[in-house]
Amino acid sequence: MTTSAAGQPLIPQPPATVAALRQATSQIAPAALPTFARELDQVSDQSRKGADLAPIQRFIAQWTVYVHIQRRPEAAADLRRWEDIADSGDAAKARRAASGIGRILDEAHAAVGLPAR
């Protein structure tokens, strides 16, 4: 991952298009590209079968939020920390972690102009 000055995003927030999100993911989280491609294939198939754009729209929204978080190293680290805590097996810690994860996701949704989850 590219480094940034403290508190600064690694890259500007890209437009909410498949091509721009793929490019941004390749820059800031290249290990996520296989997941990106697999999920894009799945939603493309769903959209074709159902003649419905909703799966692709959800995919773009999901990856827009993902990129928003990953381009901010502190937010990405916080999210990973909360996810690790959620996996700890302790119910009380998992509830706190769910709250922390929710806060990060809510902030990202608001920042990119998407409705709350």
Side-chain angles (χ1 to χ4, degrees), residues 76-90 93-94 96-98 101:
D78 284 347
L79 182 61
R80 282 190 301 277
R81 184 174 54 84
W82 284 122
E83 289 171 338
D84 290 345
I85 292 169
D87 288 340
S88 71
D90 180 290
K93 288 181 181 179
R96 283 194 309 276
I101 291 167

Side-chain angles (χ1 to χ4, degrees), residues 25-51:
T25 301
S26 74
Q27 289 179 289
I28 60 174
L33 281 174
T35 302
F36 183 99
R38 183 178 58 254
E39 290 179 4
L40 179 58
D41 288 346
Q42 290 170 349
V43 300
S44 295
D45 288 345
Q46 290 171 356
S47 288
R48 275 191 297 273
K49 288 177 184 173

Side-chain angles (χ1 to χ4, degrees), residues 13-26 36 60 63-64 67:
Q13 181 68 32
T17 67
V18 172
L21 293 168
R22 180 186 294 117
Q23 177 61 32
T25 301
S26 74
F36 183 99
I60 289 172
W63 282 90
T64 297
V67 166

Side-chain angles (χ1 to χ4, degrees), residues 7-10 67-77 104 107-108:
Q8 297 300 310
L10 298 173
V67 166
H68 176 78
I69 293 167
Q70 295 303 313
R71 68 190 194 90
R72 298 171 40 236
E74 296 82 11
I104 292 168
E107 289 171 1

